[in-house]
């Protein structure tokens, strides 16, 4: 069953790798970035994927909300609420160590990232991963490849999900974080086993708050890594009787959690960083300036993708160390986008708007879509902002951001009307109508905290 070019080779390589493992988890990340899994014993994975032609699963996975609520959009009804096919993707699989640690056994588990296809072998248009690959391929047709990584903040609670392991805001202090040395050690080891080593780990400026940065990778691998990392954090801390959450703001006393997206564009032909120009005044190339112009032009609409929950808008406010305006410069932590220009290898753009609750596939493709508009229309980058007070404000609610997105014809055309319409309907139906206007941490925690 061939669902895309080269699938036969992908399957052959995967089946060879699976011989070393007792259990194979076929993983699909839904619209919120939550992992959905079908497990197959390693002894029968060849039979299931090759002889039987693959596995079926409910086609409406991308219409299931953070609290497991579901709705039935027309795009799902059209296919009779039936099954889609789980198809492994051409990416390295990740060894899963936390599953076996939970039961203290020697079972070897492999997580294989998959995507969903309709039974007629066509792509599911509202799949975030399919969409990200389409935008990456568009860059490829321009002889460009994207090199990126996310840096995440998360909050750790004791097992009661109320008490913080430390009460001070001593960022970078090992004294306050020493209580978490065991889960942090296990997290590092599990990430290394998955070939996903952490770049840095540190205490952040918040009660129970930590930050981990990941090494950048080309293409879709950066988003794959980010979602596997989030799963690893949540599971590893749970095994040690802590609750880790990437919610933007999980309680009144908690600091806000971000998911900054760092990226640069590189030439497929020369291997050079296309954002770097040693002869320009700020060391940024015309392409980098155009990308900044495109992202800022669409900044308010992009906020719906970067901050996709009702809870996220507790973060986009003054005095939260988060952006709340359409702004950029080279150093401030309060701007929407920050440019780093130390050298060619370390010249990149940091989009600071995304929350820890973002889906990295959607962030990746939204950034490309907006940036390419800047390129194609040669949008001029606005002046840098030293003081954000006079800048245009970002949306203050999810419903406001979704309304702006609904009117952004470029993003709709670039990302596809099916995807954008589904995203807006999904968020309005399952989150905005349920939570917005309540101003209730309790209800927001019920919606998001268990799985984010």
């Amino acid at each position: 069953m061939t669902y895309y070019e080269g699938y036969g080779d992908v399957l052959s390589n995967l089946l060879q790798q699976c011989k070393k493992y007792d259990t194979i988890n076929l993983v699909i990340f839904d619209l919120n970035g939550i992992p959905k899994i079908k497990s197959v014993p390693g002894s029968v994975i060849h039979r299931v994927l090759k002889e039987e032609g693959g596995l079926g699963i409910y086609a409406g996975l991308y219409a299931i909300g953070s609290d497991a609520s579901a709705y039935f959009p027309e795009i799902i009804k059209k296919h009779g609420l039936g099954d889609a096919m789980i198809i492994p993707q051409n990416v390295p699989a990740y060894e899963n160590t936390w599953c076996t640690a939970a039961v203290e056994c020697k079972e070897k588990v492999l997580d294989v990232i998959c995507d969903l296809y309709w039974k007629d072998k066509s792509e599911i248009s509202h799949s975030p991963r399919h969409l990200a690959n389409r935008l990456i391929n568009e860059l490829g047709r321009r002889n460009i490849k994207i090199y990126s990584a996310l840096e995440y903040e998360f909050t750790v609670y004791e097992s009661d999900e109320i008490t913080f392991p430390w009460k001070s805001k001593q960022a970078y202090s090992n004294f306050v974080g020493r209580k978490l040395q065991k889960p942090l050690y296990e997290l590092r080891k599990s990430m290394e086993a998955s070939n996903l080593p952490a770049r840095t780990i540190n205490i952040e400026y918040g009660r129970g708050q930590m930050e981990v940065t990941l090494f950048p990778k080309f293409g879709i691998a950066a988003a794959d890594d980010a979602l596997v990392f989030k799963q690893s954090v949540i599971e590893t801390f749970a095994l040690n009787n802590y609750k880790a959450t990437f919610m933007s703001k999980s309680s009144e006393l908690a600091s806000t959690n971000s998911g900054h997206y760092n990226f640069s564009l590189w030439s497929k032909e020369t291997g050079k960083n296309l954002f770097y120009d040693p002869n320009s005044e700020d060391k940024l190339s015309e392409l980098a300036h155009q990308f900044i112009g495109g992202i800022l032009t669409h900044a308010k609409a992009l906020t719906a993708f970067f901050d996709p929950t009702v809870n996220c808008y507790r973060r986009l406010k003054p005095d939260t160390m988060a952006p709340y305006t359409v702004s950029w410069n080279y150093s401030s932590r309060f701007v929407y986008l920050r440019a780093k220009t130390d050298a060619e290898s370390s010249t990149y753009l940091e989009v600071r708007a995304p929350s820890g609750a973002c889906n990295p596939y959607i962030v990746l493709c939204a950034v490309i879509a907006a940036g390419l508009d800047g390129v194609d229309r040669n949008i001029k980058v606005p002046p840098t902002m030293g003081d954000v007070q006079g800048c245009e404000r970002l949306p203050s609610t999810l419903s406001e951001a979704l309304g702006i997105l609904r009117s952004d014809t470029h993003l709709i055309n670039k990302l596809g009307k099916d995807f954008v319409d589904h995203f807006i309907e999904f968020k309005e139906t399952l989150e905005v109508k349920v939570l917005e206007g309540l101003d209730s941490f309790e209800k927001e925690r019920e919606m998001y905290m268990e799985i984010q």
Side-chain angles (χ1 to χ4, degrees):
M1 183 177 289
T2 303
Y3 282 78
Y4 51 85
E5 185 178 353
Y7 175 62
D9 292 337
V10 171
L11 187 58
S12 296
N13 293 336
L14 173 63
L15 292 175
Q16 186 66 31
Q17 189 176 3
C18 287
K19 291 180 179 179
K20 305 174 185 177
Y21 292 89
D22 302 295
T23 298
I24 314 300
N25 288 335
L26 303 179
V27 185
I28 302 105
F29 292 100
D30 70 10
L31 202 68
N32 289 312
I34 300 168
K36 308 294 185 182
I37 294 172
K38 266 201 171 183
S39 297
V40 180
S43 58
V44 300
I45 192 69
H46 184 280
R47 176 178 174 182
V48 169
L49 291 185
K50 192 163 188 178
E51 296 177 18
E52 296 180 3
L55 275 177
I57 195 169
Y58 173 51
L61 283 187
Y62 300 121
I64 297 176
S66 295
D67 62 350
S69 298
Y71 82 113
F72 307 103
E74 288 303 317
I75 197 168
I76 303 298
K77 291 179 182 177
K78 186 170 64 175
H79 288 80
L81 304 180
D83 280 356
M85 300 302 297
I86 305 175
I87 302 299
Q89 300 298 287
N90 187 21
V91 294
Y94 298 83
E95 183 167 326
N96 179 325
T97 59
W98 56 85
C99 277
T100 52
V103 292
E104 297 182 351
C105 69
K106 296 182 179 180
E107 180 184 23
K108 294 193 70 178
V109 179
L110 189 70
D111 283 359
V112 178
I113 292 182
C114 302
D115 217 328
L116 296 187
Y117 291 74
W118 297 118
K119 285 194 170 182
D120 65 4
K121 304 182 183 180
S122 62
E123 291 184 356
I124 291 181
S125 60
H126 53 288
S127 156
R129 197 172 189 280
H130 281 317
L131 183 59
N133 271 320
R134 287 204 295 274
L135 270 294
I136 289 169
N137 290 338
E138 179 165 347
L139 284 179
R141 290 190 291 272
R142 302 177 188 225
N143 290 316
I144 296 172
K145 52 185 179 178
I146 190 166
Y147 189 56
S148 64
L150 285 98
E151 55 178 285
Y152 277 115
E153 294 167 337
F154 58 93
T155 302
V156 179
Y157 290 90
E158 301 282 1
S159 57
D160 61 6
E161 301 187 3
I162 297 173
T163 309
F164 298 103
W166 59 86
K167 296 180 180 180
S168 72
K169 293 185 177 182
Q170 292 289 341
Y172 309 108
S173 170
N174 190 53
F175 293 108
V176 298
R178 63 184 180 273
K179 188 174 182 180
L180 298 181
Q181 287 305 306
K182 182 175 182 292
L184 286 174
Y185 170 78
E186 292 177 6
L187 176 64
R188 288 195 297 270
K189 300 305 289 185
S190 70
M191 291 176 68
E192 289 166 5
S194 296
N195 195 28
L196 178 56
R199 180 175 173 271
T200 62
I201 300 174
N202 62 267
I203 305 300
E204 257 297 347
Y205 185 68
R207 297 171 178 86
Q209 189 179 43
M210 306 207 66
E211 180 184 77
V212 176
T213 62
L214 304 176
F215 285 100
K217 289 186 179 178
F218 285 106
I220 198 73
D224 290 336
D225 280 0
L227 287 168
V228 172
F229 160 73
K230 290 179 73 173
Q231 185 183 7
S232 181
V233 168
I234 292 170
E235 297 284 1
T236 301
F237 277 86
L239 287 171
N240 286 274
N241 296 314
Y242 293 101
K243 173 62 183 178
T245 179
F246 292 84
M247 273 184 71
S248 287
K249 187 171 176 63
S250 50
S251 65
E252 193 67 50
L253 294 177
S255 293
T256 59
N257 293 323
S258 67
H260 299 162
Y261 182 65
N262 305 292
F263 76 103
S264 52
L265 300 181
W266 293 68
S267 169
K268 294 177 69 175
E269 295 178 344
T270 67
K272 297 291 187 180
N273 185 347
L274 297 176
F275 278 176
Y276 179 70
D277 181 354
N279 299 314
S280 73
E281 184 177 351
D282 64 358
K283 306 302 182 188
L284 289 176
S285 67
E286 181 182 18
L287 179 67
H289 284 137
Q290 290 169 335
F291 248 75
I292 294 170
I295 291 169
L296 294 182
T297 295
H298 298 281
K300 295 171 79 172
L302 289 172
T303 306
F305 294 133
F306 295 167
D307 301 277
T309 74
V310 171
N311 178 261
C312 287
Y313 294 81
R314 295 183 181 274
R315 170 176 169 264
L316 302 181
K317 296 179 178 180
D319 304 319
T320 61
M321 297 291 286
Y324 59 95
T325 63
V326 180
S327 52
W328 82 286
N329 66 22
Y330 305 99
S331 59
S332 174
R333 282 179 161 77
F334 296 100
V335 293
Y336 194 93
L337 185 149
R338 185 163 61 163
K340 303 289 189 71
T341 59
D342 296 331
E344 179 182 3
S345 62
S346 54
T347 292
Y348 63 93
L349 302 181
E350 177 189 27
V351 185
R352 297 180 56 80
S355 153
C358 71
N359 182 328
Y361 295 136
I362 298 177
V363 170
L364 186 156
C365 61
V367 163
I368 295 174
L372 287 181
D373 188 41
V375 175
D376 294 339
R377 294 198 288 140
N378 192 24
I379 297 175
K380 300 301 181 183
V381 65
T384 58
M385 294 79 173
D387 182 0
V388 301
Q389 294 299 323
C391 297
E392 191 174 5
R393 293 290 291 263
L394 294 178
S396 59
T397 64
L398 179 57
S399 59
E400 183 185 354
L402 293 171
I404 296 170
L405 174 60
R406 184 179 274 115
S407 301
D408 193 315
T409 54
H410 169 77
L411 289 181
I412 292 171
N413 292 335
K414 205 70 170 177
L415 300 175
K417 192 173 186 301
D418 278 354
F419 175 80
V420 176
D421 285 352
H422 174 70
F423 181 87
I424 292 172
E425 184 181 6
F426 177 89
K427 291 294 176 179
E428 288 181 338
T429 302
L430 298 184
E431 297 182 40
V432 171
K433 290 180 180 178
V434 177
L435 290 178
E436 204 163 277
L438 296 181
D439 192 23
S440 169
F441 273 114
E442 180 183 359
K443 295 295 183 184
E444 290 169 27
R445 285 163 64 100
E446 288 176 4
M447 173 77 76
Y448 302 120
M449 192 162 170
E450 183 177 0
I451 42 72
Q452 286 188 355

